[in-house]
Amino acid sequence: MIEPATIGEHYDKRSPIGDELRDGQLHMWYWYDREDDASLTEAVHRMTRKVTDTLGLRAGEHVLDAGCGPGETAIHLATRFGVRVTGITVSEFEIERARKRALDSGAGDAVAFEYGDFTALSYPDGVFDAVLALESLQNAPDLDAVLAELYRVLRPGGRISFSDFSLGAEGDPARLATFMETLKLPRLPTVARWLEHARDAGFEIEEHTECGARVFGRKGKYLEAALKVRDTVTAKFGAAAVDEFSRLHHGFFAPRKDQIGYVIVSARKPRR
C-alpha cells in the first residue's frame, strides 16, 4: 500500500514544472480533435469546467476539493460560483503554491488550503455541500475507504463529482504496467468498476461521461504543446530539472491510446 507521505513526495517532485505548464491545474486536458488549436492551458481549463459544471454549485455552498493541486481549480470555483472551498492535498509544495495563488488572486476567505489525508478526514459529518475529486481518487490506497470518508463529510443530498483514468482495451500489459508504475497507481478500474465503487459507498449515480478519446487519446497534442514552451520552462527551472521531469513522465505515454480511458462521474448522497 502506498502511504500518503509517499504520494505527497511524488507530487512534490512533479508539481512545480507541472504547475508552470498547466497554470496551476495538474489534471488532464480536453482537445476536440487534432485540428483544435487551443493552448495547453485552455485545454486543461476545459477539463476543469467540464467536470466542475456537473456539480451544479450554488452561491454560498461549501465545497471540498479533495486533491486540490496548486489551487487554481479551487479559486476558479470560488470566483465563478460564489462558493467557499476547502482544498486538501498531501503535497507540501502544492499547499504553499495554492496559498500564494489564492493571496495573489484576491480570493480571500473564500478558499482555504490544508494538508489533508482523504483516508481519514478531520471534518465533522455532513459539513460539505459538494465534493470534487479531480484525478485524485487514482491515488487512494484504499478506494472504498476514501469514498466512505467523502460520503461521510457530505450532507444528505450533497453531490460529488470525480474524474479519473479508467481501464480501456486489454492487451499490451507491459505498456500498462509502465504507465501504472510511472504514476504510482495502486489500481486502474474499468468504468463499470468506478461506478460500482461509488455505489458501494452509498452514492446514487446521476450521470457519467466517458471522454477518453479527447483526453488520453490526444496525448500527441500535449507533447506538441509542451515542446512549444520547453525553452521558457527550461529558462525558469534549468535544463537538469526539465530533463528529470521528462524522465519521470516518460512512461506516462507508454500505453496505446485505447488502453487508457477517462470517466467523469456525478453522484449524490441520498437525503434519507
Side-chain angles (χ1 to χ4, degrees), residues 123-216:
Y123 310 112
D125 294 355
V127 71
F128 294 102
D129 299 291
V131 170
L132 173 68
L134 218 172
E135 290 174 38
S136 57
L137 294 182
Q138 61 182 249
N139 297 307
D142 184 334
L143 181 56
D144 291 325
V146 170
L147 285 169
E149 272 292 87
L150 298 179
Y151 184 92
R152 179 184 66 79
V153 299
L154 265 178
R155 64 166 174 81
R159 296 93 64 205
I160 182 171
S161 287
F162 65 84
S163 66
D164 229 308
F165 296 117
S166 60
L167 182 62
E170 296 183 358
D172 285 341
R175 288 173 177 256
L176 184 61
T178 300
F179 173 85
M180 299 288 286
E181 173 57 28
T182 297
L183 272 69
K184 307 298 182 189
L185 300 183
R187 80 196 62 75
L188 188 59
T190 62
V191 172
R193 190 72 183 106
W194 274 117
L195 299 178
E196 186 177 339
H197 278 295
R199 291 191 182 103
D200 287 347
F203 291 108
E204 296 176 346
I205 306 297
E206 295 191 324
E207 178 184 13
H208 77 276
T209 302
E210 298 175 50
C211 47
R214 292 181 171 181
V215 184
F216 198 81

Side-chain angles (χ1 to χ4, degrees), residues 29 33 80 171 198:
W29 46 77
D33 52 39
R80 181 181 178 189

